[in-house]
Amino acid sequence: MLLQVEGLRKSFGRRVAVDDVTFSIDVGEVVGFLGPNGAGKTTTMRMIAGYLEPDDGTAKIFNIDVAQDRRRAQERVGYLPEGAPLYGEMTPWTFLRFIAETRGMAKDAARHAVIRAAHDTQLGEAIGRPIETLSKGYRRRVGLAAALVHDPMLLILDEPTDGLDPNQRQSVRDLIRRLGTERGVILSTHSLEEVEAVCTRAIVINKGKMVIDAKPADLVAEHGDLEAAFRALTGGEEGL
């Protein structure tokens, strides 16, 4: 099993952000991670990616405990947070080379990795321009390329198509679908259309607790469409 999450819990003061979340993902699955604003999605993803310590429970990647052996686990994870920080004065080329080399790649390997990631994310001529001069959509592509540069087996993507125009959004969806055939992908998105187009499963979390793990087609069959399913499962909560 690629990812096993067992009983993850996290509190901030008196507020319980994540409460006993349990699920697993294998290679070949693209899992939509849905929930109202403040439901605990980002906190859960940060714990899986090793950027936040759980209060209880475990996340294991190929049976490597993220909390116990963070470095080995993170070698297998690509994480694209929402609003991923970038160095504006760098070009995508220099930024991605920096990311690859900080992950321990030799210069030639880093160069080839950057070329592959830039090609996959269709950076084109933007590869040589300062990041601060790029559109929001292209900055998002740079963040996605950074998550891909070390060729991880598990991708955790928080709003990967945010800020992209319809054509760019479709190309990233196609990329995620293609990557998901040989990796596992967790995809947090505000777009239910994106879930239906790309995801093999949908996990809904509300008030820190998982409420369902099902195929999008099954949710549509039961509720009529994904929006109706989401509202029914979250008690009519607004926002994703």
Side-chain angles (χ1 to χ4, degrees):
M1 187 63 64
L2 172 54
L3 172 67
Q4 293 174 296
V5 175
E6 293 283 347
L8 278 187
R9 298 178 187 270
K10 185 68 180 179
S11 297
F12 298 99
R14 294 183 178 180
R15 184 175 73 86
V16 179
V18 176
D19 188 4
D20 195 26
V21 167
T22 298
F23 63 91
S24 62
I25 296 175
D26 213 343
V27 174
E29 294 189 296
V30 179
V31 178
F33 202 50
L34 312 175
N37 294 327
K41 303 185 300 295
T42 296
T43 299
T44 301
M45 290 188 291
R46 286 176 177 168
M47 287 190 285
I48 295 169
Y51 290 94
L52 192 62
E53 289 277 354
D55 295 334
D56 198 7
T58 59
K60 295 181 179 181
I61 299 166
F62 285 133
N63 214 33
I64 301 168
D65 190 309
V66 176
Q68 297 297 322
D69 199 348
R70 184 174 302 172
R71 182 171 179 175
R72 283 183 65 214
Q74 288 182 333
E75 288 173 353
R76 294 155 175 80
V77 178
Y79 178 40
L80 176 65
E82 187 175 11
L86 303 170
Y87 295 102
E89 70 278 9
M90 287 184 170
T91 66
W93 176 264
T94 55
F95 175 68
L96 295 172
R97 282 288 295 267
F98 168 72
I99 295 294
E101 290 177 7
T102 57
R103 285 187 170 273
M105 292 185 195
K107 287 188 176 182
D108 282 349
R111 178 177 176 274
H112 288 297
V114 170
I115 291 170
R116 174 184 46 76
H119 178 266
D120 282 346
T121 53
Q122 297 181 326
L123 283 172
E125 294 181 358
I127 192 78
R129 300 174 188 165
I131 292 171
E132 63 190 2
T133 68
L134 301 180
S135 68
K136 183 179 180 182
Y138 270 97
R139 292 198 299 270
R140 202 62 178 150
R141 291 188 190 207
V142 175
L144 181 55
L148 286 168
V149 74
H150 60 299
D151 200 22
M153 286 302 298
L154 175 65
L155 280 174
I156 302 173
L157 308 177
D158 197 351
E159 299 294 338
T161 61
D162 182 44
L164 303 187
D165 65 36
N167 289 335
Q168 293 171 336
R169 188 182 296 264
Q170 186 59 50
S171 70
V172 173
R173 288 177 182 174
D174 291 342
L175 171 61
I176 292 169
R177 193 182 294 110
R178 187 168 72 251
L179 292 171
T181 62
E182 52 193 27
R183 294 171 174 80
V185 180
I186 298 174
L187 172 64
S188 177
T189 178
H190 287 279
S191 171
L192 294 174
E193 175 190 346
E194 200 156 273
V195 173
E196 199 162 5
V198 175
C199 297
T200 59
R201 286 163 54 199
I203 291 174
V204 178
I205 184 171
N206 189 34
K207 298 178 181 177
K209 290 182 175 289
M210 272 183 57
V211 293
I212 201 164
D213 180 350
K215 295 179 180 179
D218 291 341
L219 294 176
V220 170
E222 182 175 353
H223 296 277
D225 58 46
L226 283 182
E227 184 175 354
F230 179 79
R231 290 188 179 278
L233 292 166
T234 61
E237 291 280 354
E238 295 290 337
L240 272 174

